[in-house]
């Protein structure tokens, strides 16, 4: 997964002898969060729906940290019974649960005209209900942690304001942020801490698994370009380190990337102006075709046509394409473009 930052020394950030669960930990940011936890000596359980993807993730972690304890659990986080089983088996295998990060989710990129209520329902189940189930099932175990339990919920800059062409995602991530901040208040005075995390764009290669609707090629083109541009997006390894550090140190809230912090500040100071600017941005994005074709995964969409447009997309997404291999985003049979 590339070069890691130096391992932290023993001290406040040391997690030796403790157990963590990363929900949505098989690829991308979740995999990097697991890497930063194992670097601190923590036994980690990765939970996700795809067993083969989990096996590859575990192999990547053990290649970097051969002495690490890494478990995998095939789990549909949208189903509370599956999540209940996840924590029961983790308790039995590891003797407890000390730290949990809820990171699972999907990204849908499309104009409103190409979406329907089912798309919003899918986002809420995959993002919000996955975080809710993880939180509700984790809290009893975290309350029993001898070191005091820690819970982090991964929201997004999309949870801070309504982002055009990402509306189902933004709605669900907003709910996750509210859940995290509410849980922080509800657990006040206990040994459990809850951290709300609002990352901006990160270079993880997630564009390959994002779902695109409307003018699919154009939507894929702008999203993959912006998500990989260094001035807008953040190095995912650095983001993962900061998230784990904030969780371990029991911070209430973390907003990552200058763009996300600027959006958070602008929306707080001038929400009406920020909303109008979002409207301007929406008019610059691709229009919905007359006959929408549903949603397709990024890895199945051809890059934009035209030498100039294609060159811009390739240049913007170059770092993201490399990240896709490193962070387990690329399926074995998916060619690099």
């Amino acid at each position: 997964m590339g070069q890691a930052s130096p391992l932290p020394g023993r001290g406040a950030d040391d997690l030796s002898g403790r157990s963590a669960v990363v929900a949505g930990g098989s690829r991308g940011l979740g995999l990097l969060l697991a890497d930063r936890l194992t670097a601190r000596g923590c036994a980690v359980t990765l939970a996700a729906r795809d067993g083969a993807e989990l096996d590859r993730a575990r192999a990547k972690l053990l290649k970097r940290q051969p002495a690490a304890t890494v478990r995998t659990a095939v789990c549909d986080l949208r189903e509370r019974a599956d999540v209940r089983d996840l924590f029961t088996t983790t308790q039995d295998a590891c003797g407890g649960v000390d730290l949990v990060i809820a990171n699972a989710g999907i990204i849908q990129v499309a104009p409103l005209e190409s979406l329907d209520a089912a798309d919003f329902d899918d986002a809420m189940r995959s993002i919000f209900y996955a975080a809710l189930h993880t939180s509700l099932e984790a809290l009893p175990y975290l309350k029993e942690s001898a070191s005091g339990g820690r819970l982090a919920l991964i929201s997004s800059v999309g949870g801070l304001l309504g982002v055009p062409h990402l509306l189902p995602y933004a709605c669900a991530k907003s709910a996750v942020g509210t859940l995290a901040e509410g849980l922080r208040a509800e657990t006040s005075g206990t040994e459990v801490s809850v951290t709300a995390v609002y990352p901006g764009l990160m270079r993880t290669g997630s564009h390959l698994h994002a779902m695109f609707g409307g003018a699919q090629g154009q939507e894929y083109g702008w999203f993959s370009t912006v998500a990989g541009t260094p001035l807008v997006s953040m190095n995912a390894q650095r983001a993962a380190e900061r998230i784990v550090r904030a969780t371990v140190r029991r911070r209430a809230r973390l907003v990552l990337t200058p763009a996300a912090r600027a959006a958070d500040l602008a929306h707080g100071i001038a929400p009406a102006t920020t909303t109008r600017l979002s409207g301007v941005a929406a008019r610059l994005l691709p229009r919905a075709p007359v006959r929408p074709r549903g949603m397709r995964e990024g890895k199945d969409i051809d890059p934009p046509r035209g030498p100039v447009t294609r060159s811009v997309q390739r240049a913007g997404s170059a770092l993201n394409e490399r990240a896709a291999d490193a962070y387990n985003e690329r399926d074995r049979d998916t060619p690099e473009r």
Side-chain angles (χ1 to χ4, degrees):
M1 287 185 290
Q3 296 295 317
S5 57
L7 298 182
R10 300 185 67 86
D13 287 347
D14 183 55
L15 297 175
S16 297
R18 296 174 192 171
S19 166
V21 173
V22 181
S26 62
R27 54 183 165 89
L29 178 62
L31 178 58
L32 287 166
L33 293 169
D35 174 72
R36 294 293 80 208
L37 290 168
T38 57
R40 288 166 163 80
C42 193
V44 175
T45 298
L46 307 175
R49 281 183 278 174
D50 189 322
E53 196 172 75
L54 283 167
D55 290 341
R56 294 196 300 269
R58 183 175 185 272
K60 283 179 177 289
L61 290 174
L62 292 178
K63 183 177 180 180
R64 286 168 55 78
Q65 320 239 7
T69 299
V70 181
R71 297 177 62 252
T72 62
V74 176
C75 176
D76 188 343
L77 297 159
R78 300 171 299 181
E79 302 295 335
R80 189 168 179 183
D82 278 18
V83 182
R84 184 176 298 119
D85 290 343
L86 163 67
F87 283 100
T88 299
T89 57
T90 302
Q91 165 77 20
D92 293 342
C94 301
V97 180
D98 303 293
L99 188 150
V100 174
I101 300 179
N103 175 66
I106 59 172
I107 302 174
Q108 301 146 304
V109 186
L112 182 62
E113 295 87 343
S114 299
L115 299 168
D116 59 29
D119 296 306
F120 286 83
D121 183 62
D122 196 17
M124 289 298 292
R125 292 184 67 231
S126 299
I127 298 173
F128 173 69
Y129 278 102
L132 176 63
H133 295 158
T134 300
S135 301
L136 294 178
E137 296 299 331
L139 282 171
Y141 296 95
L142 294 175
K143 290 176 181 177
E144 297 297 321
S145 171
S147 58
R150 297 163 170 86
L151 173 65
L153 273 60
I154 309 298
S155 180
S156 166
V157 62
L160 299 172
L161 69 163
V163 181
H165 288 222
L166 287 163
L167 196 51
Y169 175 83
C171 290
K173 284 295 189 179
S174 177
V176 170
T178 299
L179 175 65
E181 294 180 9
L183 289 174
R184 176 85 181 196
E186 293 277 358
T187 56
S188 176
T190 73
E191 296 299 315
V192 176
S193 62
V194 182
T195 301
V197 182
Y198 298 89
L201 289 169
M202 291 172 292
R203 297 187 291 278
T204 64
S206 62
H207 62 294
L208 295 179
H209 285 280
M211 303 298 296
F212 295 88
Q216 295 169 347
Q218 295 178 52
E219 297 286 355
Y220 174 84
W222 80 258
F223 182 83
S224 60
T225 301
V226 173
T229 302
L231 292 177
V232 180
S233 62
M234 182 177 186
N235 177 282
Q237 290 184 347
R238 189 165 68 250
E241 173 62 27
R242 290 187 59 187
I243 291 169
V244 170
R245 188 186 308 137
T247 303
V248 172
R249 297 182 182 183
R250 303 182 182 279
R251 284 187 58 181
R253 192 172 192 264
L254 175 67
V255 181
L256 288 171
T257 77
R261 289 194 293 272
D264 187 27
L265 179 64
H267 192 267
I269 294 174
T273 300
T274 304
T275 301
R276 284 195 292 271
L277 290 174
S278 293
V280 172
R283 291 196 293 273
L284 298 175
L285 293 174
R287 294 186 177 183
V290 176
R291 296 179 180 177
R293 294 176 294 171
M295 305 287 281
R296 292 176 66 200
E297 208 168 4
K299 64 184 180 63
D300 298 325
I301 298 175
D302 292 330
R305 297 178 180 177
V308 176
T309 304
R310 187 160 186 162
S311 296
V312 170
Q313 189 272 334
R314 280 183 171 176
S317 65
L319 293 175
N320 237 355
E321 292 291 340
R322 289 199 289 271
D325 290 311
Y327 308 150
N328 205 30
E329 293 278 8
R330 199 185 304 281
D331 296 341
R332 289 283 178 89
D333 58 350
T334 302
E336 184 171 356
R337 290 179 281 190

